[in-house]
Amino acid sequence: MTHHRTRPDRGRSALGPALQLVHTGRAPTRAVLTAELGVTRATAGAVAAELQGLGLITVDARPAVAAGAQGRPSHRLAVDPGGPVVLAAQVHADGFRAALVGLGGTVVATAPGCGDVDPDPVRVLRQVVAAGVELLERTGRRCVGAGLAVPSAVAEPEGTALNPLHLAWPPGAPVRALFAECLADAGVTGPAPGAPAPGHAANDVNLGALAEHRHGAGRGAQHLLCVATGHRGVGGALVLRGRLHTGSSGLALEVGHLTVDPQGRPCHCGSRGCLDVETDPLALLDAAGREPGPESSLLHQARELLRTGFPGDPAVRDAAHLLIDRLGLGLAGLVNILNPDRVILGGLHRELLRADPERLRAVIAERSLWGRSGEVPVLACSLEHNSLVGAAELAWQPVLDDPLLIQEV
């Protein structure tokens, strides 16, 4: 069945921006939507009604009136909790996880994480997709796309994972094409009904930063710097005015290979003393004199060590201070170069910030230019699964750009 787009051009062009405003929580009412879009009240109402008809948002025409409020309350807008979802997946050094994520960054369902990562990326991606398909069958939700987060720089436009240093995958693995093939074989669809999902893929820290900017601690920042540990290693990302800064070929912000101790540990990249090996979970365990165990991921072990041993255990305290000082040195350099208006920290770095925020901020301020870099807010990432949510953002983007993609054709 073919639908003809006969609505006024202004209303049609407002569908995507309107959905993005509701998706990111910036338009909780129709009145706010009207103001943000710069359209008439009637146009905003028509746009909201169409998005509701597509099963993407809900419109509450009779919201409760707050005590003491005057005038008729505006219609409330929210993402439809029973609407379509995307399949989001993350592969990391200690395993992988699949989830279904709705609009608004809401994780609808997750599959149990797997702790084994095969050296053949095809086998891993088949398992990831199979876990996602099982979730779709169990929940009965409609899928409109799929996104993948990987612990590697992903070159554009090829979609190849150039340096999966903490995986046994071969350098240059064509992860985006392989992911798309696995999705097609499993029958996972994209926005258009019946069409295969294209299979989006990108670096995990980039995607975590994107998710935090839209739904978490980075919301509202114009120049957002994110630095985070994965299960191994360190990554960074920059979001400028709502868009990821990926450089000319997707490889920008490889902050893990910023040297913070020239005499430090050998790094996988061939240098020494990089953030990647001086401030990741293994570095904390080693500095505290702890042997990593097989019972859980390195990230989980490092987090638990901080939570239970800081500041009471001198070895843990000294190790944490060592990593905080090195992290602060790296952040000061990045802040001086990039001049962000907010810095967010994820993974183990989030726990280091929480353990001793004054020390970290003091290190940054001490090495700041003109005394201004020390004034930049440094916050903890607030989303527990931000790379998964960011992978979902990749898959949602075509629908956010043109919501009519999901209607019947």
Side-chain angles (χ1 to χ4, degrees), residues 202-211 236-239 244-246 250 252-253 387 390:
N203 171 261
D204 51 2
V205 177
N206 276 357
L207 295 179
L210 182 62
L238 186 65
V239 183
L244 275 171
H245 174 69
T246 56
L253 271 292
S387 292

Side-chain angles (χ1 to χ4, degrees), residues 329-364:
L329 178 62
L331 289 176
L334 291 167
V335 167
N336 288 337
I337 293 169
L338 300 173
N339 190 215
D341 59 355
R342 193 178 309 171
V343 177
I344 57 173
L345 302 178
L348 179 62
H349 292 171
R350 177 173 68 170
E351 307 306 326
L352 290 170
L353 172 65
R354 289 172 171 171
D356 199 338
E358 291 79 14
R359 187 183 184 99
L360 180 60
R361 292 180 178 123
V363 174
I364 298 171

Side-chain angles (χ1 to χ4, degrees), residues 109-135:
T110 59
C114 175
D116 296 319
V117 180
D118 194 279
D120 181 354
V122 174
R123 292 181 181 177
V124 177
L125 296 179
R126 282 176 180 162
Q127 289 178 282
V128 164
V129 171
V133 169
E134 185 177 341
L135 290 175

Side-chain angles (χ1 to χ4, degrees), residues 9-253:
D9 286 345
R10 192 167 190 188
R12 181 176 65 216
S13 64
L15 280 175
L19 182 59
Q20 293 192 51
L21 287 166
V22 179
H23 170 63
T24 55
R26 291 178 291 154
T29 68
R30 195 174 69 180
V32 175
L33 182 68
T34 301
E36 288 287 336
L37 293 177
V39 298
T40 65
R41 182 176 171 183
T43 296
V47 167
E50 176 133 20
L51 292 175
Q52 182 180 33
L54 291 169
L56 297 172
I57 74 169
T58 61
V59 180
D60 183 358
R62 302 178 64 183
V65 181
Q70 296 183 356
R72 191 172 71 179
S74 180
H75 293 38
R76 300 287 303 179
L77 308 179
V79 299
D80 190 334
V85 296
V86 297
L87 191 165
Q90 180 183 11
V91 178
H92 51 75
D94 292 314
F96 60 82
R97 181 177 292 275
L100 304 182
V101 183
L103 283 168
T106 302
V107 178
V108 174
T110 59
C114 175
D116 296 319
V117 180
D118 194 279
D120 181 354
V122 174
R123 292 181 181 177
V124 177
L125 296 179
R126 282 176 180 162
Q127 289 178 282
V128 164
V129 171
V133 169
E134 185 177 341
L135 290 175
L136 289 169
E137 292 173 348
R138 192 175 78 220
T139 61
R141 303 291 281 267
R142 177 186 173 187
C143 182
V144 296
L148 172 70
V150 293
S152 167
V154 177
E156 298 293 347
E158 305 90 344
T160 55
L162 293 183
N163 62 334
L165 295 175
H166 302 290
L167 301 179
W169 292 2
V175 290
R176 184 177 299 153
L178 296 176
F179 187 45
E181 289 175 11
C182 293
L183 292 167
D185 290 344
V188 178
T189 56
H200 305 275
N203 171 261
D204 51 2
V205 177
N206 276 357
L207 295 179
L210 182 62
E212 292 286 346
H213 185 270
R214 293 183 176 181
H215 308 293
R219 185 179 294 176
Q222 292 298 305
H223 300 81
L224 177 68
L225 172 64
C226 175
V227 177
T229 58
H231 289 250
R232 288 290 307 276
V234 175
L238 186 65
V239 183
L240 299 176
R241 297 183 177 88
R243 296 285 181 180
L244 275 171
H245 174 69
T246 56
S248 61
S249 57
L251 308 179
L253 271 292

Side-chain angles (χ1 to χ4, degrees), residues 165-166 229 232-235 255-261 263-287 322-323 326 349:
L165 295 175
H166 302 290
T229 58
R232 288 290 307 276
V234 175
V255 305
H257 302 291
L258 181 68
T259 299
V260 292
D261 181 4
Q263 307 304 318
R265 295 176 175 84
C267 183
H268 316 277
C269 69
S271 185
R272 299 186 74 91
C274 297
L275 275 177
D276 202 75
V277 292
E278 298 292 344
T279 65
D280 82 337
L282 187 59
L284 179 71
L285 294 170
D286 183 59
L322 178 64
L323 265 68
R326 289 174 177 168
H349 292 171

